[in-house]
Amino acid sequence: MIAKTLVALSLASVALSQSGPYGQCGGQGWTGPTTCESGWTCTYSNPYYSQCLPGSNTTPTSSTTTTGGGSSTGVPGSAPTVPPSTAVGKLPALGWNSWNAYRGDINEAKILAAANQFISLGLKTVGYQYVNIDDCWAKMGRDTNTKRIVPDPNKFPNGISGLATQIHALGLKIGIYSDAGTATCAGFPGSLGFESVDAATWGEWGIDYLKYDNCNVPGNWSDTGSPPGGDWYNSNSAIRYRQMTAALAAQSRPIQYAICNWGNANVWDWGGRVGHSWRMSGDSSATWSYITSIINTNLAHISSTKFGAHNDMDMMEIGNGNLTIQEQRSHFAAWVFLKSPILLGTDLSKLTTAQLAIIKNTELLAFHQDATVGTPAAPFKAYSTAPTTSPPEYYSGASSKGTHVFIINTSSSSATKQFTLSSVPGLGTSGNFKLHDMWTGADVSGTYAASASFSVSVAAHDTAAYLITKA
Ligand code: GAL
């Protein structure tokens, strides 16, 4: 038993020190592993992203740059100012994405299984909607005549359109992935210079959501310094993404548009004018340090999140790695109260009852999907001598139901947390209030005067969540 545990521990440490197939292995701000598992090589894509690709260390190649006839290597020119669709994307996306669960090892059966689990696990009932395919769905080369990206027939025997039909039949929506460069991070065709043909193809297939990545960007399309006039909306990065906004707008079906440029080019300043959400960092990991650091990153740009425009803290890690159940609760709660897209990222069939209870919590989901209040919760000072922590521990925000308080215990042991009711923005300095626990769905007994202090014991790395209304 002891020997077995030791073997498991040492395997786990190998897994932690090396990135797996298609995992991130470098890039500005990246603090994770910088080497790859055997058979995979850490391959530089650009200053922000290196990824474990099969075989030897070569720059990913793609026939797109030579066969396309588009402007992928041309000088940045057309800069459409078309805004993102208002028919979709008002609220942060709620769904699933294949990447954290399967990396490049995807196929129709796995995507369809996730869609069916939306139904069988009751996820659709509580609002999960998008079933999104990530990188590695295409053949390496475009169709030489039509210039279209071609789905890999071994992975998707019914094409993406056949899969879309099945997902739509379940009352769900389907997302696809591409890249605002010459190739995706894993080396499949990118859409730079092919925006119109690709958007038309996806529209025809019935695609509802596009995640648009940032690998393999030609030098003349990159940003080396501040853009003309200092507005990053006019940066080469933004112009690449704006071209896709315009191409999507030309389709008859609305397509939600998720920018994935890892927080480059001050994307929080222009993301809402170009798409519906934007990634703020390199790839997530199932670690407490990732969760706390991305909360801080989001807070630095919290004013950018509103209806139709959302800071994206990256896909969920619930069900992956070794996060404690309390850390998984905080992971979910933080994505909820900061209104990040929530795209589950695990094999849904393996979720435990406790994990399902987290992701199906209807009160937290109602805050995230509130149709009348679009602003996220924000930190507040809970009492006059409250210590400063990183990230902050106390957050408050409004919903159509009232005022909410969320408390993260950032310390690694259980602790008593407290706040004065009158310190919560919006509650005022008089009257009596009642508290309702959003996790258990039960009211807290008694009422609290504005001058009163509420205290609660919060487990290490857990998050408490309350709705507060007038008594
Ligand atoms: C990264 C992206 C990941 C995943 C991966 C696919 O750039 O951040 O979320 O999409 O590419 O290769």
Side-chain angles (χ1 to χ4, degrees):
M1 186 61 190
I2 291 176
K4 258 192 185 167
T5 311
L6 284 177
V7 170
L9 280 175
S10 68
L11 283 177
S13 68
V14 168
L16 278 178
S17 62
Q18 296 194 311
S19 272
Y22 298 112
Q24 185 172 359
C25 54
Q28 273 173 29
W30 175 247
T31 56
T34 52
T35 56
C36 303
E37 281 176 14
S38 154
W40 297 78
T41 303
C42 188
T43 306
Y44 175 88
S45 175
N46 58 42
Y48 310 99
Y49 203 80
S50 298
Q51 191 182 38
C52 295
L53 296 180
S56 62
N57 198 353
T58 51
T59 302
T61 54
S62 158
S63 57
T64 54
T65 51
T66 50
T67 61
S71 63
S72 61
T73 54
V75 177
S78 142
T81 54
V82 180
S85 167
T86 53
V88 289
K90 174 182 170 183
L91 302 174
L94 204 44
W96 178 89
N97 171 293
S98 55
W99 187 252
N100 286 354
Y102 301 119
R103 296 286 191 257
D105 188 17
I106 51 170
N107 57 40
E108 174 175 310
K110 285 178 175 166
I111 310 291
L112 208 48
N116 281 311
Q117 281 144 0
F118 272 36
I119 313 296
S120 60
L121 297 173
L123 293 165
K124 181 188 172 201
T125 310
V126 296
Y128 288 85
Q129 197 178 19
Y130 288 99
V131 180
N132 293 350
I133 306 169
D134 208 283
D135 201 354
C136 307
W137 59 268
K139 279 174 67 171
M140 274 297 170
R142 286 176 179 270
D143 182 295
T144 43
N145 294 320
T146 62
K147 311 298 182 214
R148 286 182 168 211
I149 306 182
V150 183
D152 182 333
N154 296 317
K155 296 175 178 169
F156 296 96
N158 297 301
I160 302 296
S161 64
L163 177 57
T165 304
Q166 297 176 77
I167 288 178
H168 289 153
L170 295 171
L172 300 170
K173 294 184 170 178
I174 180 169
I176 200 79
Y177 162 100
S178 191
D179 186 285
T182 55
T184 72
C185 300
F188 296 92
S191 296
L192 186 65
F194 297 90
E195 293 86 354
S196 296
V197 65
D198 289 350
T201 305
W202 298 324
E204 202 180 286
W205 288 349
I207 291 297
D208 304 295
Y209 184 110
L210 170 67
K211 169 177 172 180
Y212 204 37
D213 213 339
N214 196 40
C215 277
N216 300 302
V217 177
N220 58 323
W221 277 103
S222 301
D223 290 295
T224 44
S226 250
D231 182 354
W232 285 88
Y233 179 71
N234 295 319
S235 63
N236 288 337
S237 295
I239 293 170
R240 281 184 289 116
Y241 282 89
R242 285 160 58 183
Q243 286 176 332
M244 184 55 84
T245 315
L248 294 175
Q251 310 313 313
S252 56
R253 64 186 299 117
I255 299 178
Q256 191 155 326
Y257 185 23
I259 296 166
C260 176
N261 79 334
W262 320 300
N264 282 320
N266 287 23
V267 62
W268 26 78
D269 291 344
W270 51 268
R273 286 179 272 169
V274 175
H276 301 103
S277 65
W278 50 89
R279 278 273 299 279
M280 313 193 82
S281 67
D283 294 358
S284 62
S285 61
T287 58
W288 182 242
S289 62
Y290 177 79
I291 293 169
T292 52
S293 91
I294 195 69
I295 291 173
N296 281 328
T297 305
N298 194 337
L299 293 177
H301 306 285
I302 192 168
S303 61
S304 302
T305 288
K306 48 177 98 83
F307 282 141
H310 296 98
N311 285 328
D312 180 352
M313 298 158 81
D314 201 5
M315 301 168 295
M316 305 303 284
E317 297 285 5
I318 288 176
N320 304 332
N322 297 316
L323 292 170
T324 67
I325 200 73
Q326 291 79 13
E327 289 168 343
Q328 294 176 69
R329 279 155 57 96
S330 290
H331 177 10
F332 186 72
W335 270 237
V336 159
F337 70 68
L338 295 174
K339 306 215 177 192
S340 168
I342 293 183
L343 296 171
L344 303 172
T346 200
D347 174 350
L348 299 174
S349 70
K350 302 216 167 102
L351 287 171
T352 63
T353 309
Q355 289 165 332
L356 280 168
I358 295 172
I359 63 173
K360 289 173 64 181
N361 181 294
T362 50
E363 298 197 24
L364 286 152
L365 287 168
F367 184 92
H368 186 250
Q369 296 289 301
D370 198 300
T372 55
V373 181
T375 40
F380 74 100
K381 194 163 176 65
Y383 52 100
S384 59
T385 54
T388 303
T389 58
S390 176
E393 296 196 307
Y394 295 87
Y395 300 79
S396 73
S399 79
S400 51
K401 295 194 172 67
T403 299
H404 299 254
V405 166
F406 303 92
I407 312 170
I408 308 177
N409 177 6
T410 59
S411 75
S412 46
S413 49
S414 168
T416 299
K417 300 291 165 193
Q418 55 172 306
F419 61 90
T420 310
L421 279 279
S422 60
S423 300
V424 179
L427 287 189
T429 53
S430 62
N432 288 311
F433 299 93
K434 58 182 187 198
L435 276 77
H436 173 88
D437 185 329
M438 296 170 72
W439 283 117
T440 62
D443 289 345
V444 175
S445 67
T447 59
Y448 289 80
S451 58
S453 180
F454 174 78
S455 56
V456 60
S457 172
V458 184
H461 297 175
D462 203 354
T463 294
Y466 297 100
L467 165 66
I468 307 177
T469 50
K470 279 241 145 79

